[in-house]
Each structure stands twice: as C-alpha cells, then as structure tokens.
Amino acid sequence: MEADEFGGPALVLGSVRGRRSFGVRADGHLTGVFHTQVWHPGENLARCRRDGGVVERRPDGRIVVRTSSSREIGTGHGLGGCTCGFYAYYQQDPYTAHRRLSGVVEGYGRVVLGTAGFRAEKARILALLLPAEPAFDVRGPGAPGQPVHLDDVEPVERREADVTRIRSTYRDVAFFAREDDMLAAYPPTERGPEV
C-alpha cells in the first residue's frame, strides 16, 4: 500500500465500492487486517490514530498497528495529510489470504480517491465471501492482533462455528460462496480517477 495509490481528489458525491479483507475474531466480529478496530453491522465511522500509531512486524510475519490513542474524525479534520479512514481497492485486494474473509464495502462521507482504491470516513460491509479453506485465523476479543488457537476443534467444525457467529453478527450483509457471484451482485467501483 503506497501513499500515492490513495491520494487524489478529496470529493466524491454519493458512494464508492471496493474490495477489502477482514480479520476474524473468536466472537464473530470482523476487524481490519492492520488495525484491530471492530467493524460493526451497518455504518462504521473511522477514527484517527495519527497521535501515536506504531506499525510492527511480528515474528510470524504479520503486520499490526499498535495505537496509544484515537479520536473521532470531526468536521475540522481533513483526510488529506493523514492516513485514517477505511481502505478498499477497486480491483484485486492485495491483502486477501486463505484464512481471512474478503468482501465488498461501500465508502462514503469524506472520501479520498486513489488510483488503486479509496479511503473513506464512513463505510459499511455489503457482501462477504465465504472462503473455501475450512478454518480462519481467529483473533481473540481480549488480545487485539493475537490469534486464538483452537487446536482441540476439528477445522471444519471451527469454520462452521465461525461462519454462524459472523452471519448472526452481520445479518444485513450478503454472503457468497463464489467470488464471481459476489462481484456480480456488488460490483466495486470500476477504476480510480484518471491521472
């Protein structure tokens, strides 16, 4: 993710759609891949972590962001010059992995368009793709960024339990078994601004 991929005009009328990946918590809530902020059903409001975020690469190769504080994005906060917001991609999401959920989100409010995707002040999950892989890397609600290992449960049971929790948490989100079906029903915005 390069800064110039998410720079560009700061005004969008309406909303934009994009693809993104999610982490999965043991309680069925979804999080970001880098930030462990929970995605709630319905509208999500981004928080600015400019006051103290630290990016870490863990020994297992995962990248996480520790934050010391966050604040709501008020009307005086411009998205320019900051990296806050919900990110999504017009085409392939580079953070898709076999043990993460992928989906389509709608971004609105103050939005910064880039050539690869956008970042938005507000977002909501429209659709989720159920992975073929029978298990997720699950994050525990008490330990942001730390996977919870459920070694005593068979992988297929683990996946079905997680999907049941996720479906009950995100009742208004469409779930798909095939990526082509998801993208046909909820197509991402085709491309970014002409540069």
Side-chain angles (χ1 to χ4, degrees):
M1 170 172 41
E2 301 296 323
D4 63 338
E5 292 177 323
F6 291 91
L11 175 64
V12 174
L13 299 177
S15 63
V16 289
R17 288 183 180 174
R19 300 171 68 168
R20 67 162 290 131
S21 296
F22 298 93
V24 180
R25 284 189 359 172
D27 64 1
H29 284 89
L30 303 180
T31 68
V33 174
F34 296 105
H35 292 284
T36 55
Q37 177 178 346
V38 170
W39 279 72
H40 299 286
E43 183 176 275
N44 290 272
L45 181 61
R47 299 187 61 84
C48 182
R49 290 174 167 77
R50 188 174 185 165
D51 294 336
V54 177
V55 178
E56 289 183 343
R57 181 175 292 277
R58 297 281 170 90
D60 64 1
R62 289 181 305 117
I63 297 173
V64 297
V65 179
R66 285 187 299 118
T67 57
S68 59
S69 67
S70 68
R71 65 177 189 269
E72 286 188 16
I73 300 172
T75 56
H77 183 283
L79 291 177
C82 197
T83 59
C84 60
F86 295 107
Y87 285 66
Y89 295 84
Y90 302 126
Q91 308 222 349
Q92 188 62 38
D93 172 8
Y95 299 102
T96 299
H98 71 284
R99 290 190 167 215
R100 292 184 184 144
L101 275 182
S102 294
V104 175
V105 299
E106 177 182 47
Y108 52 97
R110 283 177 284 176
V111 175
V112 177
L113 295 175
T115 56
F118 64 87
R119 59 187 172 92
E121 169 191 22
K122 299 175 184 177
R124 68 184 181 105
I125 302 170
L126 299 175
L128 291 171
L129 178 64
L130 298 174
E133 180 68 29
F136 297 116
D137 284 337
V138 180
R139 293 179 172 175
Q146 297 298 314
V148 174
H149 299 287
L150 303 173
D151 296 328
D152 57 335
V153 180
E154 291 296 314
V156 172
E157 294 173 355
R158 197 162 85 191
R159 174 184 185 258
E160 290 175 1
D162 291 337
V163 169
T164 300
R165 287 185 188 119
I166 294 166
R167 282 184 186 268
S168 68
T169 301
Y170 301 95
R171 296 177 192 273
D172 294 333
V173 172
F175 287 81
F176 293 87
R178 291 177 14 117
E179 184 176 36
D180 290 344
D181 294 340
M182 178 181 74
L183 297 176
Y186 295 92
T189 300
E190 282 193 38
R191 63 180 188 278
E194 297 295 324
V195 212

